[in-house]
Amino acid sequence: MHSVTAFRLDLRALFRNFARMLGVQLLTAAIQLAIVALIAKEYGPRGSGVYVVSLLLPTLLATFLNLGANSSNVYYLGAGRFPVQTIWKTSWTLIRVLGLAGLLLGAGVILFKAEDYFPGIGRPVLWVALLAFPFSLAQGFLNSLFQGLQDFRRLNLCMLAQPALTLGGIAVLVAAGQTEVLAPVCANLAGAAGGVAFSWLLLRKHLRSEEPDSHSGYMDKALRYGFKAYLSNLLTFLQSRADTFLINMLINPAAAGIYSIAFQIGEKLWMLSQAVSVVLLPKLSAMSKEEERRIQITTAISRMVFAVSAAGAVLLGILAYPLILVLFGATYRPSYVPFILLLPGMIALAPARVIANDIAARGKPELNLYMALAGVVLTITGNLIVLPHLGIHGAAIVTSAAYILDLLMKILTYRAITKAPFFSLVLMRRNDVRDVVGAFKPS
């Protein structure tokens, strides 16, 4: 098959899955925005800050304790090296062991360090938030199985279930007159539990397949590959949450609530790159013997994502101020300036995600780890320096700069691996529009 035709067929299949995943990302974002807006209006800036910061504990534990096995599931299922039955058995073992370990660790933090790490947040809120951890952990494992199997239809349903259930729970509690901030935290717990139950029901079809579970040694391989991806994902998560955490510690929960609105609006620019990443990793993992096509796909998708994200940032920058006033009220007007300061970094991180997936699909997640470490050091150090002087505006500047550095490092690393030209990952080419149009022409 002619290389151009094959490339366009690859794009056609990818775009189809991208579009479905992006649709789910948009719907999920709308639901999450409704959650944020409802909490902001009913519980005020302090309530928003308490809600966001209290959920850092279970989210942090789920990120710390998955050991990268989710990434291993996608990589090995995508490459077809282990059957889903084997991978699920290993995942279920890890969910039980790590779930118990996380609950014990979280309990220790609440009992002995709550005042230091979560000042201004009551322990009942932290206890309820903690109970969502094992469900968040299990949801990550379940999603990774659907992603590795490239069953994006069921994955989309799983991704929608938890936020939809959470929004419904918050709305019911608000209607019932529950004005304490503990109410939305309880709704989050119920949504997490319901999402896992729903995902398990969808997974059972794959587990009933006739493929024999004859492979052994997956646990060892999963942990070997996963640990490298785990450290990288952990550092990436820390980088994305360190600013909010430090604002809460060094200023107050209300400032964290104002900043969290800016960040949550800005991160909507990542919806496209997140949708692309979910589809791209298993696809590239299956192309280990097709180097030229893999580079062609990665570079084309990276620059397209960069261009669309930049255009989206301009539009979002124009619409954000009235949106903040309408959705959150005049109290959250100070969110707009940090949002604008975050935009350059939000744009840069979009193609960086695409490049990171290619690197991971080559079995080299440790390279992403080294770059993530540099980003975390810059984010934490920079925030400690600027927060006392520039407040949340300084936090936005530091975070944006760290994301731009991350993109530059990933481009240079990818160029060293593949010899791909530097600007092939960020600048649109004359043939790109032709390739996109050709991908949708009848074959």
Side-chain angles (χ1 to χ4, degrees):
M1 184 180 292
H2 193 274
S3 61
V4 174
T5 302
F7 174 60
R8 287 178 177 173
L9 288 176
D10 284 332
L11 287 184
R12 179 182 300 178
L14 287 169
F15 286 161
R16 186 183 301 117
N17 288 325
F18 291 164
R20 292 170 180 166
M21 187 61 63
L22 182 58
V24 171
Q25 295 278 0
L26 289 170
L27 184 54
T28 302
I31 295 172
Q32 291 173 338
L33 190 61
I35 291 173
V36 173
L38 186 58
I39 293 174
K41 286 190 173 182
E42 296 296 329
Y43 300 96
R46 187 182 184 283
S48 295
V50 169
Y51 178 80
V52 170
V53 175
S54 68
L55 294 188
L56 287 178
L57 179 58
T59 307
L60 189 63
L61 287 171
T63 304
F64 262 104
L65 295 178
N66 68 60
L67 301 184
N70 296 345
S71 299
S72 297
N73 290 348
V74 177
Y75 176 70
Y76 285 110
L77 271 176
R81 295 175 61 180
F82 289 91
V84 65
Q85 293 90 341
T86 296
I87 293 179
W88 167 245
K89 287 181 179 178
T90 300
S91 298
W92 177 232
T93 298
L94 290 173
I95 289 169
R96 288 177 291 174
V97 173
L98 299 176
L100 177 59
L103 288 174
L104 293 174
L105 179 59
V109 170
I110 294 173
L111 288 172
F112 302 109
K113 289 293 183 178
E115 290 78 9
D116 296 328
Y117 297 154
F118 303 98
I121 300 177
R123 288 191 179 185
V125 171
L126 293 174
W127 282 116
V128 175
L130 174 63
L131 293 176
F133 156 69
F135 298 108
S136 298
L137 182 72
Q139 189 67 64
F141 277 95
L142 289 163
N143 287 353
S144 72
L145 297 179
F146 291 114
Q147 184 183 353
L149 291 164
Q150 300 191 56
D151 184 352
F152 298 113
R153 184 175 67 85
R154 288 184 174 83
L155 176 59
N156 289 339
L157 293 173
C158 294
M159 293 174 65
L160 283 172
Q162 188 272 332
L165 291 170
T166 299
L167 176 60
I170 294 174
V172 169
L173 291 171
V174 168
Q178 297 295 323
T179 59
E180 295 295 327
V181 74
L182 181 62
V185 179
C186 290
N188 176 76
L189 171 59
V196 168
F198 178 73
S199 301
W200 163 246
L201 291 175
L202 294 182
L203 181 66
R204 292 175 65 186
K205 177 182 177 181
H206 289 293
L207 299 179
R208 288 197 296 264
S209 66
E210 298 298 325
E211 186 174 1
D213 179 13
S214 59
H215 294 72
S216 60
Y218 178 67
M219 177 72 81
D220 179 64
K221 289 183 178 294
L223 295 180
R224 284 177 180 272
Y225 177 94
F227 187 68
K228 300 171 186 177
Y230 158 74
L231 292 177
S232 176
N233 293 338
L234 173 61
L235 291 172
T236 300
F237 171 81
L238 288 175
Q239 183 179 2
S240 69
R241 295 293 187 270
D243 44 6
T244 303
F245 186 79
L246 290 172
I247 289 169
N248 182 71
M249 286 189 65
L250 300 179
I251 305 179
N252 54 54
I258 295 291
Y259 183 83
S260 70
I261 297 298
F263 193 93
Q264 289 180 67
I265 294 175
E267 69 179 355
K268 300 308 179 233
L269 287 173
W270 295 340
M271 287 189 296
L272 175 60
S273 62
Q274 288 169 342
V276 168
S277 297
V278 170
V279 175
L280 205 57
L281 180 55
K283 173 69 174 178
L284 295 179
S285 297
M287 298 179 70
S288 59
K289 298 181 180 180
E290 303 174 87
E291 179 65 6
E292 183 178 349
R293 285 176 64 193
R294 178 156 63 176
I295 294 174
Q296 192 177 19
I297 288 173
T298 298
T299 53
I301 296 298
S302 176
R303 56 183 180 261
M304 291 176 190
V305 165
F306 182 72
V308 174
S309 298
V314 173
L315 180 61
L316 194 57
I318 295 171
L319 298 176
Y321 188 77
L323 280 176
I324 289 172
L325 295 180
V326 171
L327 294 176
F328 307 107
T331 305
Y332 291 87
R333 186 183 289 114
S335 297
Y336 183 69
V337 173
F339 160 75
I340 293 297
L341 295 173
L342 283 167
L343 278 183
M346 297 294 186
I347 297 170
L349 197 63
R353 290 175 181 271
V354 176
I355 303 168
N357 276 278
D358 188 298
I359 293 171
R362 296 170 184 274
K364 299 179 179 180
E366 66 275 10
L367 297 180
N368 291 325
L369 164 64
Y370 305 146
M371 292 179 278
L373 179 60
V376 170
V377 171
L378 175 59
T379 300
I380 294 178
T381 303
N383 272 287
L384 289 174
I385 293 172
V386 306
L387 270 176
H389 307 287
L390 299 178
I392 61 176
H393 295 172
I397 293 170
V398 169
T399 299
S400 196
Y403 288 150
I404 293 171
L405 175 64
D406 184 71
L407 173 60
L408 293 175
M409 290 189 295
K410 283 188 169 63
I411 292 176
L412 293 173
T413 301
Y414 190 75
R415 186 171 184 269
I417 295 172
T418 66
K419 310 303 179 186
F422 184 93
F423 291 107
S424 67
L425 292 155
V426 290
L427 294 184
M428 291 287 287
R429 295 179 174 179
R430 185 177 302 173
N431 291 336
D432 285 340
V433 175
R434 188 184 309 165
D435 286 334
V436 172
V437 173
F440 290 100
K441 284 184 177 180
S443 55

